[in-house]
Amino acid sequence: MRRSEGRSASTPAALADELWPDVQPETARRLMAAGLECFARQGYHATTTRDISAAAGMSSAALYVHFPSKAALLFEIVRSGHEQILAVVDRAVTGAGDPVVRMGRLAREFTEWHARRHAVARVVAYELKSLPEDDYRTVVDLRRRIEHLTRGLVREGIEAGVFEVRDVQAAGRAVLSLGIDVARWYEDRMRTSPRALGQQYADLVLRMLGADPA
Amino acid sequence: MRRSEGRSASTPAALADELWPDVQPETARRLMAAGLECFARQGYHATTTRDISAAAGMSSAALYVHFPSKAALLFEIVRSGHEQILAVVDRAVTGAGDPVVRMGRLAREFTEWHARRHAVARVVAYELKSLPEDDYRTVVDLRRRIEHLTRGLVREGIEAGVFEVRDVQAAGRAVLSLGIDVARWYEDRMRTSPRALGQQYADLVLRMLGADPA
């Protein structure tokens, strides 16, 4: 536990409950938390199903009851992570307020999600290419929806005359990129809380889009 | 070679020459290029010295002539990557022009470096925590110098009245974070060239700092 391991929740079980409230039964959640821990520490390719079941305090046989393979467990972590992010973005884009208010909310909550769940966000962002082809396509489709919603809001702001942007694609990508990279460097012991960081980034994003954060 | 593998140079030897012109002899450069390829594809922990020597078309014994261990080879890749980035940042910060001109240059060249060398930049950014403790500290020291120079330029701009920033630390980190994350998503087949992307990001960064890019 030298660096960068998650301390978002006090125990693996509490972390699993926070990350995947909808996954049933609790044993499957525990295995996902153990997989996350192993992938974050040593990478997907160097992790065996035996490592995961040992980290969860279970037998290898118990793992296969819930996940047919290591790849299936990775997919479940990556898919559910993307669906949570999509929900955050969708809520911000379709919510109340003008484009400045909604983009501020998007940047704030997107950044906060990546800081608070940096361990899962790292695996979601960096182990993507380890997924089998079909699973990869499913996740790429979720990413496209997230990017599409974000670009749409950038365009709305331009049309409303509150954003000033040269290249919608580059600006939309930069908004998300700033938040995603938080997962690379954020650690729980940092002075800035996920919420405070989200607020700082909302200000930076609005300025980047030529809007006045105040 | 499904996704995201580098095509920056046409052959591994050409890539090695471009990335590490100062590393001698040529055999050591070839081993570094092979290591980079393996780490980028399967992660550091899942890579063996045998994988690296095989990818370089050499015997395992030949690897140990140049690098005492897999960790030593990773360190050489990560250290030289950071030193190149430090040189880019130092040149921009200490060069000619007012803070707006120099920050534009920093963001442009930093982003361009990460796009053009995305394979090496990924390993540099994401395998950092796999380094042995002493090597890790050496690299963290290089990172601190890069961050220190960037924050210094943000402060210069505030004092000159050309930047308007609420939190120097957050702004400095965001400038670098935007560029670093390019390595995660950039691929050679993209329409936007590394140079054009650098220009787009320089504009976004200057706006983020409350300056007028024009």
Side-chain angles (χ1 to χ4, degrees), chain A residues 126 174 176-186 201 204, chain B residues 110-111 114 126 143 147 150 170-185 201 205 208:
Chain A
Y126 307 140
L176 298 175
S177 193
L178 253 187
I180 290 169
D181 196 56
V182 164
R184 182 183 54 81
W185 58 263
Y186 193 82
Y201 272 44
L204 293 170
Chain B
F110 187 81
T111 303
H114 282 81
Y126 307 140
R143 292 182 92 84
E147 287 161 11
T150 307
R173 195 187 271 134
V175 169
L176 298 175
S177 192
L178 252 188
I180 290 169
D181 195 56
V182 164
R184 182 183 53 82
W185 58 263
Y201 272 44
V205 159
M208 197 164 78

Side-chain angles (χ1 to χ4, degrees), chain A residues 75-86:
Chain A
F75 178 58
E76 197 48 38
I77 292 173
V78 174
R79 187 199 55 74
S80 76
H82 275 86
E83 284 188 348
Q84 289 177 33
I85 297 169
L86 177 59

Side-chain angles (χ1 to χ4, degrees), chain B residues 105-150:
Chain B
R105 195 182 300 138
L106 191 160
R108 193 169 58 243
E109 295 185 0
F110 187 81
T111 303
E112 192 180 337
W113 193 95
H114 282 81
R116 199 175 294 284
R117 293 162 184 209
H118 55 85
V120 77
R122 265 175 225 173
V123 169
V124 163
Y126 307 140
E127 295 291 3
L128 196 61
K129 68 183 162 70
S130 303
L131 287 173
E133 194 72 38
D134 280 0
D135 293 344
Y136 178 78
R137 269 198 290 268
T138 303
V139 174
V140 165
D141 181 58
L142 289 168
R143 292 182 92 84
R144 289 214 178 107
R145 287 161 67 190
I146 293 165
E147 287 161 11
H148 179 79
L149 283 166
T150 307

Side-chain angles (χ1 to χ4, degrees), chain A residues 5-117:
Chain A
E5 265 84 346
R7 292 187 303 168
S8 304
S10 47
T11 66
L15 175 67
D17 293 348
E18 188 193 317
L19 288 174
W20 306 292
D22 299 333
V23 172
Q24 291 297 341
E26 191 263 339
T27 322
R29 285 205 295 278
R30 254 169 70 201
L31 284 162
M32 285 170 71
L36 181 62
E37 191 192 317
C38 294
F39 299 154
R41 191 174 51 225
Q42 64 204 36
Y44 173 76
H45 290 288
T47 298
T48 63
T49 51
R50 192 184 293 265
D51 293 335
I52 300 170
S53 45
M58 296 181 203
S59 70
S60 292
L63 186 144
Y64 290 109
V65 171
H66 301 286
F67 300 98
S69 64
K70 182 177 75 159
L73 195 148
L74 174 66
F75 178 58
E76 197 48 38
I77 292 173
V78 174
R79 187 199 55 74
S80 76
H82 275 86
E83 284 188 348
Q84 289 177 33
I85 297 169
L86 177 59
V88 164
V89 170
D90 189 53
R91 208 160 45 227
V93 169
T94 60
D98 71 12
V100 173
V101 168
R102 284 183 284 145
M103 183 57 83
R105 195 181 300 138
L106 190 160
R108 193 169 59 245
E109 295 186 359
F110 187 81
T111 302
E112 192 181 338
W113 193 94
H114 283 81
R116 199 175 293 285
R117 293 163 184 208

Side-chain angles (χ1 to χ4, degrees), chain B residues 36-211:
Chain B
L36 180 63
E37 190 192 316
C38 294
F39 299 154
R41 191 176 50 226
Q42 65 204 34
Y44 173 77
H45 291 288
T47 298
T48 63
T49 51
R50 193 184 292 265
D51 293 336
I52 299 171
S53 44
M58 296 182 204
S59 70
S60 292
L63 186 144
Y64 290 110
V65 171
H66 301 286
F67 300 99
S69 64
K70 182 177 75 159
L73 195 148
L74 174 66
F75 178 57
E76 197 47 38
I77 292 173
V78 174
R79 188 198 55 74
S80 76
H82 276 86
E83 284 188 346
Q84 289 177 34
I85 297 169
L86 177 58
V88 163
V89 170
D90 189 54
R91 209 161 44 227
V93 168
T94 60
D98 70 12
V100 173
V101 168
R102 284 183 284 144
M103 184 56 84
R105 195 182 300 138
L106 191 160
R108 193 169 58 243
E109 295 185 0
F110 187 81
T111 303
E112 192 180 337
W113 193 95
H114 282 81
R116 199 175 294 284
R117 293 162 184 209
H118 55 85
V120 77
R122 265 175 225 173
V123 169
V124 163
Y126 307 140
E127 295 291 3
L128 196 61
K129 68 183 162 70
S130 303
L131 287 173
E133 194 72 38
D134 280 0
D135 293 344
Y136 178 78
R137 269 198 290 268
T138 303
V139 174
V140 165
D141 181 58
L142 289 168
R143 292 182 92 84
R144 289 214 178 107
R145 287 161 67 190
I146 293 165
E147 287 161 11
H148 179 79
L149 283 166
T150 307
R151 277 198 305 273
L153 185 52
V154 172
R155 266 192 217 97
E156 263 196 78
I158 296 169
E159 280 156 22
V162 290
F163 293 163
E164 199 199 318
V165 168
R166 284 188 199 184
D167 185 307
V168 173
Q169 170 116 3
R173 195 187 271 134
V175 169
L176 298 175
S177 192
L178 252 188
I180 290 169
D181 195 56
V182 164
R184 182 183 53 82
W185 58 263
Y186 193 82
E187 292 178 64
D188 293 314
R189 76 181 87 120
M190 285 183 166
R191 270 176 315 167
T192 312
S193 71
R195 176 158 288 267
L197 189 75
Q199 192 53 57
Q200 287 174 347
Y201 272 44
D203 284 359
L204 293 170
V205 159
L206 289 177
R207 280 174 192 268
M208 197 164 78
L209 301 176

